Amino acid sequence: MNSFFVMVGSDDTLLFENQVINNGKAASLASVGLSSGMDKADQKDVLTHFVLFSALDVVDEEMWRTQNMFLRKVDKFEEWEVSAFVTAGNIRFLILHDARNDDGIRTFFTRVYDLYMKMALNPFYKLNSPITSPSFAAKVRALADEHL
Amino acid sequence: MVGLSSFSYLFSELIRHSQSRVTAIGPLEAKLDAAGFQVGARMVDLISLREKSGKREVKLKNVLVLIQTSVFRTLFGKSADALAQYSSDDAEEYHIVDNEPLVNRYISVPRDMSDLNCGAFVAGIVKGVLAGAGFPAEVVAHNTPDDDGRYPYCTTYQVRVTAVDVRAREK
């Protein structure tokens, strides 16, 4: 399945993003993108962020109604769905995806949460700052390959 | 687990380092508070992963109980001695009481600085946990020695949540 994964800090900054595109269907998201002078890749990026961040509003309401971290599907856009996960420290994980796979996504979120915690416990990591570690990115990609 | 002697040595150096950069008690406490905040903000996720198996706390009272029990137990080896709610019109106010704060065990405060409470570090931790859990609060450490002198270093952490949207969520 195609997916766009983002981590959003408790102050709404973008911490990390990862894209997995397995087939040409991802282009359909670009085709409804803004008709400006941007090339296809840029349009998709803008639209992806737009859809994901608008889903944040839903997450911000939903997260105070349940103690669960995994919120399942919170929003949809055309044939794309947004699934969300909120950590105890209110870091939001969002995935924009085109196929139903609750169990895989839940496992992926949980494993990424473990990875995030290992990194956040490093006192040299400033909380809510973008994650630039290449090894973190590589591990998230490996998890995405395995579970999504 | 860290030895008490190592911790006390490190903590006294933290105070000495902070003190050499300020001239008054207020800013010194602010520095200790900021250092504690970083600890607290990381503790939220850590405790949840270790003890709560994937549950978040969404009510202020529950977060405070979590601080009184799990957070204090993890950091200091024992729960805080009391958690009490105080009625206040403009805030949700709670007091967390620690009769024998670990951080103050080997700290002798000079007489001319008697207002200083190095529990400001712990107040920062409490503030960090609350902020991480989505309940931004003011937390202040007060010296509250009991009358018969059994707990001369007894410290009360005063927690006040004033943000309107947070209080509305509690209703």
Side-chain angles (χ1 to χ4, degrees):
Chain A
M1 104 181 153
N2 299 304
S3 68
F4 301 84
F5 169 62
V6 292
M7 290 168 64
V8 182
S10 50
D11 57 357
D12 292 349
T13 48
L14 180 63
L15 303 186
F16 180 82
E17 56 183 326
N18 183 54
Q19 305 195 357
V20 179
I21 298 168
N22 295 329
N23 59 41
K25 207 174 149 211
S28 66
L29 194 64
S31 63
V32 290
L34 310 162
S35 57
S36 65
M38 290 184 293
D39 61 33
K40 276 260 155 64
D42 280 348
Q43 283 180 13
K44 194 170 65 216
D45 257 14
V46 169
L47 191 67
T48 308
H49 286 150
F50 181 69
V51 171
L52 284 171
F53 274 71
S54 70
L56 265 188
D57 288 343
V58 186
V59 174
D60 282 346
E61 281 185 18
E62 199 61 38
M63 61 191 249
W64 297 110
R65 292 202 196 105
T66 170
Q67 281 198 291
N68 291 329
M69 292 190 175
F70 186 46
L71 301 179
R72 300 173 186 279
K73 185 182 118 179
V74 291
D75 201 3
K76 71 190 294 255
F77 177 80
E78 312 228 318
E79 77 271 29
W80 295 79
E81 292 183 351
V82 181
S83 292
F85 183 94
V86 186
T87 76
N90 291 339
I91 310 288
R92 273 75 46 91
F93 298 173
L94 298 170
I95 275 192
L96 182 68
H97 54 99
D98 58 359
R100 209 73 210 254
N101 179 11
D102 268 353
D103 288 340
I105 291 174
R106 181 202 298 270
T107 319
F108 174 74
F109 278 151
T110 317
R111 304 275 306 266
V112 173
Y113 187 23
D114 281 352
L115 274 183
Y116 168 76
M117 257 338 274
K118 282 179 189 156
M119 189 210 52
L121 286 177
N122 178 349
F124 294 107
Y125 171 70
K126 189 165 162 286
L127 292 170
N128 282 329
S129 65
I131 300 165
T132 51
S133 156
S135 84
F136 181 83
K139 284 176 188 151
V140 171
R141 268 197 300 279
L143 285 178
D145 287 343
E146 190 179 339
H147 298 290
L148 297 180
Chain B
M1 278 299 183
V2 178
L4 179 58
S5 50
S6 323
F7 170 78
S8 301
Y9 179 61
L10 197 62
F11 188 64
S12 71
E13 281 302 313
L14 172 71
I15 294 171
R16 199 201 305 262
H17 176 85
S18 308
Q19 198 179 5
S20 67
R21 277 155 181 76
V22 296
T23 51
I25 293 175
L28 173 58
E29 288 191 331
K31 276 192 176 293
L32 293 174
D33 185 284
F37 188 93
Q38 291 298 319
V39 177
R42 288 168 162 84
M43 285 304 291
V44 200
D45 278 309
L46 193 63
I47 298 260
S48 147
L49 268 183
R50 281 185 185 163
E51 299 181 15
K52 299 284 158 186
S53 58
K55 290 277 184 237
R56 303 165 50 240
E57 295 299 350
V58 294
K59 288 288 172 204
L60 177 61
K61 182 78 195 237
N62 295 345
V63 180
L64 287 160
V65 170
L66 182 84
I67 292 172
Q68 188 206 354
T69 56
S70 300
V71 173
F72 268 67
R73 219 167 25 228
T74 309
L75 292 172
F76 309 125
K78 66 175 183 63
S79 307
D81 295 288
L83 169 66
Q85 183 171 15
Y86 283 78
S87 57
S88 161
D89 288 337
D90 58 344
E92 307 287 329
E93 182 167 340
Y94 290 85
H95 291 184
I96 300 174
V97 183
D98 192 350
N99 287 339
E100 296 172 299
L102 184 77
V103 291
N104 285 356
R105 189 176 296 180
Y106 297 113
I107 304 288
S108 319
V109 179
R111 196 158 296 167
D112 59 327
M113 296 173 73
S114 60
D115 283 343
L116 174 70
N117 187 332
C118 294
F121 180 71
V122 182
I125 293 176
V126 174
K127 193 198 276 184
V129 173
L130 284 164
F135 299 89
E138 304 152 27
V139 184
V140 186
H142 296 287
N143 290 316
T144 50
D146 64 340
D147 295 332
D148 51 4
R150 261 191 319 151
Y151 302 116
Y153 300 113
C154 177
T155 300
T156 301
Y157 308 103
Q158 181 191 26
V159 179
R160 282 171 60 86
V161 177
T162 48
V164 178
D165 55 328
V166 176
R167 297 189 68 201
R169 216 159 60 203
E170 286 294 302
K171 292 282 173 330

